[in-house]
Amino acid sequence: MANKRLLIIHQGALGDIILTFPAIMRLQKYYDAIDILCQSGIGRLTKALGIVETYYPLEAAHVSSLFTDRVDSKIKNLLRPYTNIILFAFSDQLKQTIHQITSASLCCISPKPPENVQLHLTEFVMENLVNCRLIKRADAVVDDLPLPNRTGQPKNQDRIMLHPGAGSLRKRWPMTNFLEVEAMLKSDGLKPEFILGPAEEDLVAGLQHPDRTVHSLTDLLDLMGLLKSAGGYIGNDSGPSHLAALLGLPAIVIFGPADPERWAPVGRNAEILRPEMACRSCFETGKANCDDPKCLTNTTPQQVIRAFYRKYRGF
């Protein structure tokens, strides 16, 4: 049988791409090689997790030519070996360009389900792979996803990572609540530490304290190392939370205006906290939160701690 190679092209952020990982892992039995073209930091992480064999940086000049009238010959050569390409994009123009420069079979998937559809992104991707005849219906079972299974305990079981940031300010649980959670964890003899990414520099000053550990990270491999060394995790709806869940940490993820039915992290030991609300999640339909975003503020530190210990002590 001819060598089958698959290239995945995805322009999305960390959390969006992690939610495609279970589907990509399903594809591994169908292909001799799976590679990805995405943001370089996410690509390095994806390769380190064993999801793909090779990654190509989306930031490279020859790759950016895909979005122009003159496509660099390097990108044509890059695409040539692949028998199949999965393109996660809204752009019809990008789809047409790829069709013009390669003979590979192309499966186009929207980066997210339609806003009026209550379907988790992972399920949405699986359905599209079935429709593109890339996987069999029997392999699109979301309840039996081939996720990493955390075995044994880390060396620092009492080390608990807290992530108060998020890609959007609208998703951030109040910092005062995180500080209260930190205090409760310390009083129980645990060792909470904070994680901040490049987009969360505004939180650094408020966390500075001689008795507090704050990790300001720019590399996703460093983030993965910290999470693997920890005994638990508490954070907002964010990329690091998706990674913590994927790695199998006992994790509490605090949701607010975004819909967890569509965007919840996938992991055996992760739990979502969001109050029951009559109003619909507005993150994707509104440019700003309402004046009183109770979907976020009604979750209390006490609720978070109780949920965390259910996961942490049950592990």
Side-chain angles (χ1 to χ4, degrees):
M1 187 174 68
N3 185 272
K4 293 186 67 177
R5 298 188 64 186
L6 171 67
L7 178 67
I8 295 162
I9 302 176
H10 204 312
Q11 301 168 260
L14 177 62
D16 300 337
I17 294 182
I18 286 178
L19 286 178
T20 71
F21 283 179
I24 297 173
M25 295 169 77
R26 288 291 200 215
L27 287 161
Q28 288 175 342
K29 77 174 186 178
Y30 293 89
Y31 289 91
D32 300 294
I34 299 178
D35 302 326
I36 192 167
L37 193 162
C38 63
Q39 295 178 38
S40 58
I42 299 174
R44 284 192 295 272
L45 174 70
T46 306
K47 180 178 179 179
L49 287 167
I51 307 295
V52 300
E53 289 191 14
T54 303
Y55 74 91
Y56 304 104
L58 191 66
E59 305 92 328
H62 63 279
V63 173
S64 63
S65 73
L66 275 173
F67 306 93
T68 69
D69 295 332
R70 295 186 177 183
V71 180
D72 193 306
S73 60
K74 289 182 180 179
I75 193 67
K76 295 179 182 179
N77 292 333
L78 186 152
L79 299 182
R80 186 171 294 121
Y82 294 98
T83 53
N84 294 83
I85 295 174
I86 298 174
L87 172 63
F88 290 90
F90 295 112
S91 170
D92 288 334
Q93 181 59 51
L94 182 57
K95 175 182 175 180
Q96 293 172 12
T97 300
I98 293 174
H99 263 309
Q100 291 169 0
I101 64 175
T102 178
S103 60
S105 177
L106 182 61
C107 175
C108 297
I109 303 176
S110 170
K112 65 178 182 179
E115 292 173 358
N116 61 341
V117 176
Q118 289 293 102
L119 185 66
H120 193 271
L121 177 59
T122 304
E123 294 181 273
F124 176 71
V125 173
M126 292 281 201
E127 282 296 315
N128 276 272
L129 294 182
V130 171
N131 293 338
C132 287
R133 299 182 179 180
L134 296 181
I135 64 172
K136 296 179 180 178
R137 171 66 63 182
D139 288 327
V141 181
V142 179
D143 292 337
D144 186 28
L145 296 172
L147 299 175
N149 189 12
R150 188 176 172 89
T151 56
Q153 293 186 346
K155 294 180 180 179
N156 303 302
Q157 181 67 13
D158 58 353
R159 192 182 194 190
I160 311 302
M161 294 298 162
L162 306 180
H163 182 241
S168 169
L169 297 178
R170 295 171 62 190
K171 295 181 179 181
R172 290 184 184 179
W173 197 45
M175 177 61 82
T176 52
N177 288 348
F178 273 101
L179 295 178
E180 192 170 341
V181 166
E182 176 198 34
M184 288 188 278
L185 292 172
K186 283 185 174 180
S187 69
D188 291 332
L190 298 178
K191 299 175 181 177
E193 301 177 11
F194 284 85
I195 296 172
L196 297 177
E200 295 142 6
E201 293 180 357
D202 59 303
L203 299 179
V204 173
L207 288 174
Q208 288 180 341
H209 191 280
D211 295 329
R212 178 178 293 131
T213 299
V214 180
H215 303 276
S216 294
L217 304 176
T218 57
D219 191 309
L220 291 177
L221 295 183
D222 292 338
L223 172 62
M224 180 175 69
L226 274 177
L227 293 175
K228 284 187 172 182
S229 74
Y233 175 93
I234 299 171
N236 295 318
D237 170 20
S238 65
S241 295
H242 284 281
L243 182 56
L246 182 82
L247 293 173
L249 268 77
I252 301 302
V253 184
I254 303 157
F255 265 70
D259 188 350
E261 288 191 30
R262 288 162 58 87
W263 301 104
V266 177
R268 295 185 178 93
N269 299 315
E271 180 175 335
I272 305 304
L273 283 189
R274 186 182 187 273
E276 291 290 334
M277 303 290 295
C279 60
R280 184 187 173 195
S281 301
C282 63
F283 185 75
E284 296 177 78
T285 57
K287 295 182 179 180
N289 288 349
C290 58
D291 294 333
D292 186 16
K294 293 181 179 179
C295 60
L296 195 61
T297 59
N298 275 14
T299 297
T300 68
Q302 290 75 21
Q303 289 172 327
V304 169
I305 283 292
R306 285 197 295 270
F308 173 72
Y309 280 133
R310 282 197 302 271
K311 289 292 180 182
Y312 179 74
R313 290 167 176 162
F315 178 68

